[in-house]
Each structure stands twice: as C-alpha cells, then as structure tokens.
Amino acid sequence: MYPVEQQIYGPILLEKRGEVEAVRQLHPSLKPLMLTTWVALPLKKGKPFLRPDELVKREVGLVRTASEDNVCCWDPRNLVMADDPARDAVLLSLLLRKFVEYGCRVVPVASLRESYSRLSVMAEHSKRAGSGIAIRLKLEDLEEYDLLDTLLDSVGLTSPDCMLLIDLGQREFAEHDEFAAALIRWVDALRERGNWAKIVVAATSYPLKNPAPDNGETSRQRDEWLVWKWALELDSDFGNRATFGDFGADCEVKDFGSGGIPIPHIRYALENAWRIVRGVDFPSMRNVMRRVSTAPQFMGRAFSAGDEFIADCASGVTENCGSASDWRFANMNHHFTLAMTVLAQFYRVGIVDRVAHNREQQSLILGPVVQRT
C-alpha cells in the first residue's frame, strides 16, 4: 500500500477546474498532508467514447497537475469508457499503468459492489504497483461485513492492502452526539474486521441549493465538522483510528448536465460554519469580494491562495473577479487550508506559514516552520 499514514485530511472532490486549481495552489507544506479522492466526471452525453490517448490526457493529466506525486485516490465510478465491460476494463488498466508511468501515486477506489472486471484490474494494479486499493462504503454498507470479506477474497487482497473510505454523502445531522457515538462504533467494528491501512470518514451538510438570497448572505453550520469534534470529545483517540474528510461543492450532485447559469457567490469556510455571500451577476462579485475581505472573520490575504484572490479582487488589483471556476478555486483552496490548519493542531503537525505574493512578485516565499500545539 502506498504510504497513507501522515495524511490528516481526506476530502472527496469532483474533477472540476476550480477544485483542481485549488489543490494545485495549496501551500507545499500542506499537500503531503491531504489524501484527496478525485471522483472522475462522466463523459459528455451524446458524445462518442474518448480515444485511449484522450482518456490519459484527461485523467492522468488532471491528477498529475493537481496532486503531483502526492498519494491520492481516484474513483472512476462515473466514468464509463466503453459499452463492453471487457473493453472498459482494458481502458481502466491502461489508465492505471499511465498513472504510474507519469509519477502519480494513485490508489484506485472500488465500491463494495464493484464489477468483477473492474475490481480484478484494480487488484492486479495494486499488486503490481504496490498502491493498494480504497474500498468505498456508503452508510447502508457499514454492516455488510460478509460482502467486504467476499470482495477481498475474490481478488486475493488482505486488509493491510486496503484503506476504507466511509462516504456518508450529503446529509443533515440532527443529533451530533448520537451520530458521533454511532460513528465511533462503526469505525471500531470495521477495525475489528481487519488491519486497514487507513479509514477516512467523509460527509457534508452543505445544502445542494445555495441558501443565500440575491445580494445577501447567510451562514450554515459545518455539521460534519461538529460531529467529528463531538466524536473526539467522546473518545480522544478516535482521530488516530479514523481520518476526517469532507466534500467539495456539488460533489453529491447526480445529474451532470449543464447545470444552468452559475450563481455568483463566495462560500467562505470558518471553523464551525460557512459564510455564504451572494451577488446577482458577474459584475456584482467585486462587491461580494469586498464584503468577504472586510468582515472580521476574514483570515487575511496571506492565509491561502484563495484568500489572496479574494483580497485582490476586492482591492481592484484584478481586472475582474473571474469566472465561476475561479470562485470555486477561492472557496475550496481556503477551505482546504483551514481544515488542515485546524487538524494540524490536533495531530501536532508542524506546517509552514504562507507568505502572500507581492503584487509584482510571482514566486512564493516561505516563512519559518512553526510547531502548532
């Protein structure tokens, strides 16, 4: 299994340009601490299947651009590459070989009910490359121990060859304490079944529909984070048995159509909540950026590349405030930085403070290493 011990955060992200750029522009001291799961997007409806070289450029190029040589997971659940399952498996094998060839340390993700054609390809890749595989478990799968054992037996893998990705999806957490207690029981029951390389628990409570009014703002609790903190209150060692994860925006969307006109907004993560500030059109985003950057909760231009983008848009340094992908980049780069900054305190991991670019300067200057306790 590729090394997954040092990663303290496991977000699940769609392969959208904003998310890719958000990960690419993370501070170099943070990238090795994040175990990203990249969820491949489906091919466009009504379009022919991509040629093998096009698939490699799309998938391998994206992962290499974003995660570089840092260990990450890759989930092809939405990516059907051929009508014939055998041909689809051949193309999956090609992609996994190309990941290795281009220096990507990718752990393929299989569902508990993965087709045997795909699962056997992933298992063979795991043995050849030493990558291991990640098994994605939905809430309804958490007590399907026989299926989990059967999956391992069918392809000759053992629990140390695998990590578990508990994907709780988008949900409301009515009782934080009760769900936290249940989460501890689920993780411990899975630990009793095997010596898994890692267990990541990922969820989001962010609503599918933007909750802010036009030219207004609102806040929403980050319930998945509050549940995680409650679990640590119940069991201070829980963070050593499982790793916190969450989702990028829209990661639970099932319809991958055009999606309509993007809503101009910034979703600014705070430790326990999101502040959502919304405009009405693209020009109104200048004022949105100003409202975000002048608020007491703003963490400063140097905090992350996303915060720098927000501050520069607000100050008028930029010609305009970009596109929906740029706003997504700012939202997510800030979010990742905040999540790992907070988690680094729990795990007592030293991280490097970021120094913002001068407006004329293009290189990143690193400050001194600080030990967060």
Side-chain angles (χ1 to χ4, degrees):
M1 181 92 198
Y2 286 152
V4 292
E5 296 83 9
Q6 69 171 339
Q7 292 89 337
I8 61 176
Y9 174 50
I12 299 177
L13 308 176
L14 290 176
E15 291 179 345
K16 293 191 173 183
R17 187 171 73 84
E19 275 87 337
V20 171
E21 195 63 14
V23 174
R24 188 186 74 81
Q25 291 198 42
L26 276 173
H27 192 284
S29 72
L30 296 178
K31 278 190 177 184
L33 302 178
M34 188 163 86
L35 183 61
T36 306
T37 294
W38 291 109
V39 179
L41 294 172
L43 301 180
K44 292 182 179 179
K45 292 180 180 179
K47 298 292 184 180
F49 290 114
L50 295 179
R51 300 192 311 269
D53 61 313
E54 293 173 325
L55 280 169
V56 170
K57 182 178 180 180
R58 188 182 105 143
E59 296 301 322
V60 180
L62 181 150
V63 170
R64 179 67 195 181
T65 296
S67 294
E68 300 174 332
D69 62 351
N70 294 291
V71 177
C72 63
C73 299
W74 178 70
D75 187 341
R77 72 180 96 156
N78 301 314
L79 183 60
V80 178
M81 294 173 279
D83 288 326
D84 177 17
R87 173 62 177 165
D88 179 82
V90 168
L91 291 170
L92 177 61
S93 179
L94 169 68
L95 284 176
L96 293 176
R97 292 198 309 273
K98 290 296 183 180
F99 278 127
V100 174
E101 182 178 325
Y102 284 94
C104 303
R105 291 192 290 171
V106 161
V107 179
V109 179
S111 75
L112 192 57
R113 296 167 178 81
E114 192 65 65
S115 68
Y116 182 76
S117 58
R118 281 193 164 194
L119 183 60
S120 58
V121 166
M122 293 180 186
E124 181 59 33
H125 171 77
S126 171
K127 296 168 186 175
R128 181 177 62 249
S131 65
I133 68 169
I135 303 170
R136 187 179 73 253
L137 304 176
K138 306 291 283 185
L139 183 61
E140 58 269 22
D141 297 330
L142 289 178
E143 295 183 358
E144 295 282 3
Y145 304 126
D146 291 342
L147 279 178
L148 190 55
D149 293 341
T150 300
L151 183 150
L152 296 180
D153 291 343
S154 67
V155 288
L157 294 174
T158 63
S159 58
D161 301 319
C162 305
M163 58 172 281
L164 300 181
L165 178 58
I166 300 178
D167 176 355
L168 299 177
Q170 196 280 337
R171 65 184 54 256
E172 296 181 4
F173 297 91
E175 300 292 341
H176 295 165
D177 55 343
E178 292 181 11
F179 200 91
L183 186 59
I184 293 171
R185 291 195 300 272
W186 292 329
V187 168
D188 287 347
L190 288 165
R191 285 284 181 198
E192 290 176 2
R193 305 289 299 191
N195 185 26
W196 312 103
K198 198 177 195 68
I199 297 179
V200 174
V201 180
T204 184
S205 58
Y206 193 78
L208 294 176
K209 183 178 179 181
N210 191 302
D214 287 350
N215 271 336
E217 65 177 84
T218 189
S219 63
R220 287 291 185 273
Q221 285 191 153
R222 291 176 58 208
D223 283 333
E224 64 279 1
W225 175 246
L226 296 174
V227 167
W228 183 263
K229 292 207 301 183
W230 199 283
L232 295 178
E233 288 288 327
L234 295 173
D235 183 342
S236 60
D237 188 60
F238 180 66
N240 295 316
R241 305 196 301 277
T243 299
F244 173 76
D246 53 16
F247 288 78
D250 307 329
C251 205
E252 280 296 285
V253 170
K254 301 298 188 295
D255 181 4
F256 292 93
S258 62
I261 300 173
I263 295 174
H265 75 286
I266 287 293
R267 183 183 84 164
Y268 196 77
L270 308 172
E271 182 174 348
N272 296 323
W274 292 285
R275 181 182 178 221
I276 305 106
V277 183
R278 180 171 173 171
V280 290
D281 52 25
F282 279 55
S284 70
M285 283 300 291
R286 184 80 70 188
N287 186 50
V288 168
M289 300 294 189
R290 288 174 181 148
R291 287 158 62 193
V292 173
S293 66
T294 57
Q297 305 99 321
F298 186 63
M299 297 178 189
R301 184 172 179 269
F303 182 72
S304 73
D307 288 271
E308 185 173 314
F309 176 81
I310 292 170
D312 287 352
C313 288
S315 68
V317 171
T318 59
E319 181 179 349
N320 56 57
C321 294
S323 66
S325 292
D326 298 311
W327 313 331
R328 185 185 289 263
F329 146 72
N331 293 340
M332 298 311 304
N333 182 270
H334 164 81
H335 181 110
F336 302 151
T337 302
L338 174 64
M340 284 185 282
T341 299
V342 175
L343 287 164
Q345 297 178 36
F346 171 79
Y347 289 105
R348 299 185 181 274
V349 174
I351 62 175
V352 178
D353 281 344
R354 180 181 182 273
V355 177
H357 293 142
N358 294 327
R359 289 172 185 171
E360 302 78 25
Q361 175 186 345
Q362 298 302 313
S363 62
L364 187 68
I365 303 174
L366 303 185
V369 175
V370 290
Q371 184 74 30
R372 310 232 175 184
T373 58

